[in-house]
Amino acid sequence: MNYRHAYHAGNFADVLKHTALVAVLLHLRKKEAPFAVIDTHAGRGLYDLSGREAQKTGEAGQGIAKLAAAAAVEPLATYLHVAKSFGANRYPGSPLIAARLIRRKDRLVAIEKHPEEAEALAEALKPFNRARVIAADGYTRLPKLLPPPERRGLILIDPPFEAANEFEQIARAFGEAIKRFATGIYLIWFPIKTKSDAEALSGEILARGATKLIRIQLAVSAKEEGRLAETGLLTVNPPFGFDAAMRETLAAIATPLGGASPAKWSVDWLAGEG
Ligand code: SAM
């Protein structure tokens, strides 16, 4: 477990993942009934963009830092507002974004396997009394938490992709989870390193029982050899209007994120459109 999200916090992949997270949370908040958020690979929560790791890669500089002048469409506007609320040079990871947007009756469970990251996360989430940290393996813990008593909720699966069989582990965990919580909304992040990556993971998720599925892809021009330039996100059971909202957001960020030419993006229904 060498991966540390501090090197990547606020990069273009985080922008996609976290704007989608905000879109789902804004939707869940529209109804009175409480909901749960389960973040299976939560990270340390709060990142210092002036710190050694972030400065070494400069990824936030090519990501969120470029969005100040982007059109104020939703969910982008709320995402930028929440990120800014943590202070200059600080970037909130998924558990802190969720903690900020859930209501007093909602609940966040954030799972992180790396002991030091889990400890830092517990510290970062101290002010949020609706949030709980579990230091454990997200894949094995997830099924034990389902279905949530609220029967409404979001599961974010955002692993580091260090293991060669990460796609397989995601598919297996998703298969177990959807059997227990068929109406849950699932966000599954993945890097695109080869053309077959997106097809392979989407196929597995469909085979494990997703009946409504959207795939988003976002590609920027590679700034350096070996650096991630394309990312994807699968959304199972996307809420009403999610596709349109994400199209608006992607259209607003494509030019600022892209540099010389706009970033390329797509939002496709792979099953159950509408
Ligand atoms: N979701 C976070 C965010 O958006 O801010 C970023 C998470 S980062 C991509 C992946 C995290 O998963 C790392 O902090 C890593 O330590 C942790 N991790 C790795 N394997 C894990 C496992 N099996 N279960 C839970 N966490 C794990």
Side-chain angles (χ1 to χ4, degrees), residues 1-6 8-10 13-14 17-18 21 39-47 91-97 111-115 117-118 134-141 156-162 166 169 189:
M1 290 210 302
N2 293 320
Y3 181 93
R4 292 292 177 282
H5 197 64
H8 310 292
D14 264 7
K17 179 196 312 176
H18 294 156
L21 170 67
D39 193 339
T40 61
H41 295 72
R44 64 188 290 119
L46 196 55
Y47 300 92
Y91 185 80
S94 51
L96 284 205
I97 294 172
I111 311 169
E112 168 57 48
K113 191 172 178 183
H114 195 287
E117 299 292 273
I134 303 179
D137 182 320
Y139 291 126
T140 51
R141 191 51 72 99
L156 171 64
I157 303 178
D158 179 23
F161 289 87
E162 281 181 315
E166 200 88 59
Q169 292 195 71
W189 180 82

Side-chain angles (χ1 to χ4, degrees), residues 7-213:
Y7 290 97
H8 310 292
N11 71 0
F12 79 105
D14 264 7
V15 169
L16 171 61
K17 179 196 312 176
H18 294 156
T19 50
L21 170 67
V22 169
V24 173
L25 292 170
L26 292 178
H27 168 84
L28 286 166
R29 280 166 36 144
K30 282 184 190 159
K31 279 196 188 157
E32 275 303 310
F35 63 85
V37 178
I38 302 174
D39 193 339
T40 61
H41 295 72
R44 64 188 290 119
L46 196 55
Y47 300 92
D48 176 8
L49 298 183
S50 64
R52 187 182 55 81
E53 294 93 338
Q55 288 295 313
K56 189 170 177 198
T57 61
E59 289 193 21
Q62 303 297 325
I64 188 168
K66 292 195 153 183
L67 302 180
V73 295
E74 289 293 6
L76 180 62
T78 299
Y79 160 69
L80 291 174
H81 178 75
V82 168
K84 206 171 169 187
S85 73
F86 285 91
N89 277 327
R90 296 175 111 201
Y91 185 80
S94 51
L96 284 205
I97 294 172
R100 196 36 78 77
L101 289 175
I102 62 174
R103 304 160 301 182
R104 286 157 72 104
K105 55 190 162 189
D106 307 321
R107 211 163 46 91
L108 166 67
V109 180
I111 311 169
E112 168 57 48
K113 191 172 178 183
H114 195 287
E116 277 168 30
E117 299 292 273
E119 203 177 308
L121 177 59
E123 188 60 35
L125 282 173
K126 254 189 191 158
F128 302 95
N129 59 12
R130 301 298 297 155
R132 169 183 166 213
V133 175
I134 303 179
D137 182 320
Y139 291 126
T140 51
R141 191 51 72 99
L142 176 61
K144 297 183 180 132
L145 298 168
L146 299 178
E150 297 87 349
R151 304 277 164 163
R152 298 180 72 219
L154 162 68
I155 287 100
L156 171 64
I157 303 178
D158 179 23
F161 289 87
E162 281 181 315
N165 68 344
E166 200 88 59
F167 278 9
E168 225 175 285
Q169 292 195 71
I170 294 175
R172 210 175 316 123
F174 171 73
E176 286 298 308
I178 194 88
K179 272 192 244 160
R180 290 170 169 77
F181 187 32
T183 56
I185 300 168
Y186 296 80
L187 289 177
I188 304 169
W189 180 82
F190 62 99
I192 302 178
K193 292 178 183 156
T194 68
K195 280 215 177 315
S196 60
D197 287 349
E199 293 308 323
L201 186 62
S202 313
E204 279 294 328
I205 295 302
L206 287 169
R208 302 280 177 157
T211 53
K212 287 187 174 179
L213 181 64

Side-chain angles (χ1 to χ4, degrees), residues 205-273:
I205 295 302
L206 287 169
R208 302 280 177 157
T211 53
K212 287 187 174 179
L213 181 64
I214 286 179
R215 183 172 69 209
I216 302 178
Q217 289 176 221
L218 175 64
V220 296
S221 48
K223 300 282 180 287
E224 264 172 41
E225 188 70 23
R227 182 173 285 192
L228 186 69
E230 187 165 8
T231 179
L233 187 76
L234 296 177
T235 308
V236 178
N237 297 328
F240 179 75
F242 176 81
D243 50 349
M246 288 310 295
R247 281 191 184 104
E248 263 201 283
T249 282
L250 285 155
I253 65 178
T255 297
L257 279 189
S261 55
K264 294 194 173 75
W265 58 271
S266 57
V267 177
D268 298 309
W269 280 91
L270 302 188
E273 177 161 4

